[in-house]
Amino acid sequence: MDINYRLGDKVAVVSGAGSGIGAGTAKVLAAQGARVIIAELDPESGKRVAAEINSAGYDARFIACDVREEDSIRAMVDTAIGHYQKIDILVNNAGITQVVQLDKMSPDEWDRLQSANLRSMFLMTRACLPYLRQSEGAAIVNMSSVNASVTLGGLSAYAASKAGIVGFTKSLAAELAPRIRVNAIAPGAILTAAWDDREDLDQVLAHRLKYIPLERMGAPEDVGKGVAFLVSDHASYITGTVLTIDGGMTSRLYDGQV
């Protein structure tokens, strides 16, 4: 990256960093000099991303973590502190998506998604907070979604969790100021490996692009660059805000001209 966000003395924990936006974010933060903890449930993907970062000459370490389980989070934090002695940045990225019509959704399905997407941020933040409070210039970024404000049918549980993340972020920003800044990012259509299984991928992408003024899908690194900005001193007067990274998608009322 051409911009230097001067993260060279920072230690960043990125949850769900074994793939997609989390992996892209971890790579951007590492390229900006941060030492990155890949807090990932899947060891194969977590180790792979850490190895890719290290082979590029940067510093990353995979630590297994299930963000739904308090004991797993605490073990990850203890290992991170044992290795790096501090935590300066927390990126709450891990989460899941499901498309289920409300009348076909079980309470267990609802609870499973809220646990993975929203409760996990509470657990991760609480576990990291004592160390963030010791840091000079600590910052938290929570991964929300454009679905927090504009969404589609079948995403009620997902949209509710992402809207909850916005509320969580704003309240926490007020609570932790002035020492710790807390912001959120609302990604739009980001092209990750999760799209690869769609047999109608070309058709779906063509349809999506009709509603994106910049005429391309986002890349995980596009979100990672937003994270790098928000955790850097360049954003030292920004807290409690939501940065939308969607290629202009939510600015368009409908396809075509008035």
Side-chain angles (χ1 to χ4, degrees), residues 97-251:
T97 307
Q98 66 178 11
V99 181
V100 184
Q101 299 300 314
L102 187 66
D103 57 359
K104 297 180 180 178
M105 184 187 307
S106 70
D108 285 346
E109 286 178 309
W110 176 278
D111 290 345
R112 173 176 171 268
L113 188 141
Q114 303 308 323
S115 177
N117 290 9
L118 187 53
R119 183 176 181 271
S120 64
M121 293 198 180
F122 155 67
L123 294 175
M124 283 285 290
T125 304
R126 188 177 65 167
C128 292
L129 195 52
Y131 305 102
L132 292 167
R133 283 191 166 122
Q134 297 172 20
S135 170
E136 294 293 334
I140 300 170
V141 176
N142 299 321
M143 205 61 64
S144 182
S145 168
V146 293
N147 285 276
S149 55
V150 291
T151 190
L152 298 166
L155 292 173
S156 59
Y158 179 76
S161 72
K162 293 301 183 178
I165 290 167
V166 172
F168 176 74
T169 297
K170 290 181 177 292
S171 179
L172 208 58
E175 180 178 332
L176 300 182
R179 191 165 186 85
I180 303 171
R181 295 183 301 103
V182 188
N183 292 290
I185 286 183
I190 307 299
L191 192 58
T192 67
W195 292 76
D196 293 347
D197 293 335
R198 297 202 62 151
E199 296 181 358
D200 58 345
L201 181 59
D202 291 342
Q203 180 180 349
V204 170
L205 293 181
H207 177 73
R208 289 291 181 99
L209 291 177
K210 290 169 55 180
Y211 298 93
I212 301 176
L214 291 187
E215 298 182 347
R216 71 173 178 87
M217 296 281 285
E221 288 75 15
D222 289 320
V223 181
K225 291 172 187 176
V227 174
F229 166 68
L230 287 175
V231 302
S232 76
D233 289 342
H234 291 281
S236 62
Y237 199 57
I238 300 175
T239 195
T241 195
V242 181
L243 175 62
T244 300
I245 301 178
D246 70 348
M249 183 174 66
T250 53
S251 70

Side-chain angles (χ1 to χ4, degrees), residues 11 35 77-87 131 134:
V11 174
R35 292 167 286 173
V77 171
D78 288 345
T79 303
I81 293 300
H83 190 73
Y84 289 119
Q85 289 75 56
K86 66 172 186 169
I87 296 173
Y131 305 102
Q134 297 172 20

